[in-house]
Amino acid sequence: AWNISCKPDAQLVNTMLDRAIHSLPQDAHPILHSDRGCHYRWPGWIKRVEDAGLTRSMSRKGCSPDNSACEGFFGRMKNEMFYGRSWQGVTLENFMQQIEAYMVWYRDERIKLSLGGLSPAEFRSKMKLTFSSIKCPHPHIADLKTCNQTEKYLTELETKLQDVVNASVKVELTSGTLL
């Protein structure tokens, strides 16, 4: 989920969080990573996250590699969408619509070699099917950290993930569409 605004404030991050929570499948409790912005440390934000059953993750102070995936995305967005064109005369509303369109395109259509030639949405869809075929050794244990078979379980997940990526790359190479 994302939200676009002219200022980084509580309304911006709360709207994004509400959209993210609303889009989650029932009983999903992913990790929510953020930088150290004050709006992510606000008690109201923390309560919203906890009420949704999400796990907070925050980058370490002064450690930009913690946010490298997000920073890399914003760099690609600037190179692919922003730079190389004139924005003169474009209204703020239109600019925000173009950012929205780029993000939808990036999620749904832009392939990534690191995801086996799939878009992020296609990859997530395949992973959902793959992960649902793996059974937790102890499904009654809510926190896998307390499970003594967690390492075996996570190794199986990693193997399945690599199998999907490898299979996707092979399919793309065989069909001759991978550049």
Side-chain angles (χ1 to χ4, degrees), residues 35-84:
D35 62 18
R36 300 184 68 80
C38 64
H39 33 276
Y40 301 117
R41 293 179 281 140
W42 174 64
W45 166 268
I46 294 169
K47 181 169 179 4
R48 272 180 141 102
V49 170
E50 290 172 350
D51 288 350
L54 306 177
T55 300
R56 288 182 26 195
S57 168
M58 191 172 278
S59 57
R60 294 169 289 179
K61 190 174 184 177
C63 189
S64 58
D66 284 353
N67 288 328
S68 62
C70 289
E71 297 301 331
F73 166 77
F74 287 120
R76 281 186 294 283
M77 182 172 72
K78 289 175 191 174
N79 285 330
E80 294 175 355
M81 180 233 152
F82 183 78
Y83 298 134

Side-chain angles (χ1 to χ4, degrees), residues 19-141:
R19 286 180 182 171
I21 292 168
H22 182 70
S23 71
L24 291 173
Q26 191 173 9
D27 297 326
H29 303 287
I31 296 172
L32 176 67
H33 183 76
S34 70
D35 62 18
R36 300 184 68 80
C38 64
H39 33 276
Y40 301 117
R41 293 179 281 140
W42 174 64
W45 166 268
I46 294 169
K47 181 169 179 4
R48 272 180 141 102
V49 170
E50 290 172 350
D51 288 350
L54 306 177
T55 300
R56 288 182 26 195
S57 168
M58 191 172 278
S59 57
R60 294 169 289 179
K61 190 174 184 177
C63 189
S64 58
D66 284 353
N67 288 328
S68 62
C70 289
E71 297 301 331
F73 166 77
F74 287 120
R76 281 186 294 283
M77 182 172 72
K78 289 175 191 174
N79 285 330
E80 294 175 355
M81 180 233 152
F82 183 78
Y83 298 134
R85 65 173 286 186
S86 171
W87 292 95
Q88 191 172 15
V90 175
T91 66
L92 183 58
E93 183 178 326
N94 186 261
F95 178 70
M96 291 165 67
Q97 289 170 347
Q98 291 188 43
I99 290 174
E100 177 86 15
Y102 174 85
M103 293 181 72
V104 169
W105 170 81
Y106 187 93
R107 178 195 64 204
D108 296 343
E109 298 178 37
R110 185 184 188 276
I111 65 165
K112 293 180 56 88
L113 294 180
S114 63
L115 299 180
L118 302 172
S119 72
E122 292 169 322
F123 184 78
R124 178 173 284 164
S125 178
K126 275 195 171 192
M127 288 300 90
K128 196 180 299 179
L129 294 174
T130 301
F131 290 154
S132 66
S133 69
I134 301 173
K135 302 297 179 212
C136 174
H138 301 290
H140 61 281
I141 297 176

